Each structure stands twice: as structure tokens, then as C-alpha cells.
Amino acid sequence: QVQLVESGGGLVQAGGSLRLSCAASGRTFRRYAMGWFRQAPGKEREFVAAISWTGSNTYYADSVKGRFTISRDNAKNTVYLQMNSLKPEDTARYYCAADLQLLVTDTYDYWGQGTQVTVSS
């Protein structure tokens, strides 16, 4: 069982930056691949980024490639999403997720409650 708690969301102007964190419970965190997803009002949840349990493999949605960076610190049971050059279309609720497999689909086993990111123009 893995419990996930996101933090770091907020209101930022276009062009600004935010860093999201996702703290995981459980001693087996380092076994899990981690993903970030987002969901805007009226839209389906979409993949943002994912990282393997070692941190050696990462994947990004085309819409965030070059602007967002996913990373993890297994000693702190935490995964991060550094978001730079934010755009109004990045406004969404951001969720982290955990699974034993590295996935780019929203079929992860464990999910957090999400943190809201709002980018003003």
C-alpha cells in the first residue's frame, strides 16, 4: 500500500515557475515508478511525466517537454515536478501516482488527492 500527498501548487503568472512535491508513505517507495497527471475542468485527466524507480528513465508529454522536469529522491520518499515557463493552459489539478510498472497511461495503482495549479495570463 502506498499513500501519496501532493503539495506545492498555487497561483502563478504566465512565465513563472512552481515545484510540485509528492510525498509517499511506505518503505517500498523505491520500488515504484511514479507519474504526474493533470486534469483541467471539463477535460479528461492527461499524462504529464513519469519516472522509473531508479530515476534513470523519464517520459514527458509533448506539451510539457523542455519546460517540466520530473525527479525523485528515494531517500526522502518524494517525487518532484519542476514546472518552468508556465502557460495558462497548464492550469489544472495535478496528481501524482505510483505503480510497479512505468506507465504513461492513467492506470496507476495508487493516486494522491491532487494539488491545484493556476496560471494567470
Side-chain angles (χ1 to χ4, degrees):
Q1 190 80 1
V2 177
Q3 293 184 325
L4 305 171
V5 179
E6 302 94 335
S7 62
L11 174 64
V12 63
Q13 288 188 331
S17 298
L18 282 175
R19 187 175 82 154
L20 306 184
S21 299
C22 175
S25 65
R27 295 177 296 173
T28 59
F29 170 75
R30 59 177 55 85
R31 295 176 52 195
Y32 286 85
M34 302 295 295
W36 285 98
F37 291 77
R38 66 187 182 186
Q39 188 168 22
K43 295 187 176 181
E44 294 187 351
R45 187 163 56 190
E46 64 175 357
F47 169 75
V48 175
I51 188 167
S52 62
W53 70 272
T54 62
S56 59
N57 294 306
T58 57
Y59 297 92
Y60 296 92
D62 288 342
S63 59
V64 307
K65 204 170 292 184
R67 300 188 298 122
F68 291 11
T69 303
I70 188 171
S71 62
R72 66 189 294 160
D73 185 339
N74 286 343
K76 295 183 178 181
N77 281 12
T78 302
V79 63
Y80 304 97
L81 185 68
Q82 178 66 44
M83 306 186 296
N84 299 329
S85 302
L86 282 162
K87 304 174 181 180
E89 51 263 44
D90 293 319
T91 295
R93 190 164 186 85
Y94 284 70
Y95 299 86
C96 72
D99 198 280
L100 290 175
Q101 298 184 71
L102 180 59
L103 303 168
V104 297
T105 56
D106 65 348
T107 54
Y108 280 67
D109 282 338
Y110 303 103
W111 292 85
Q113 294 301 306
T115 185
Q116 179 67 35
V117 171
T118 302
V119 184
S120 63
S121 57

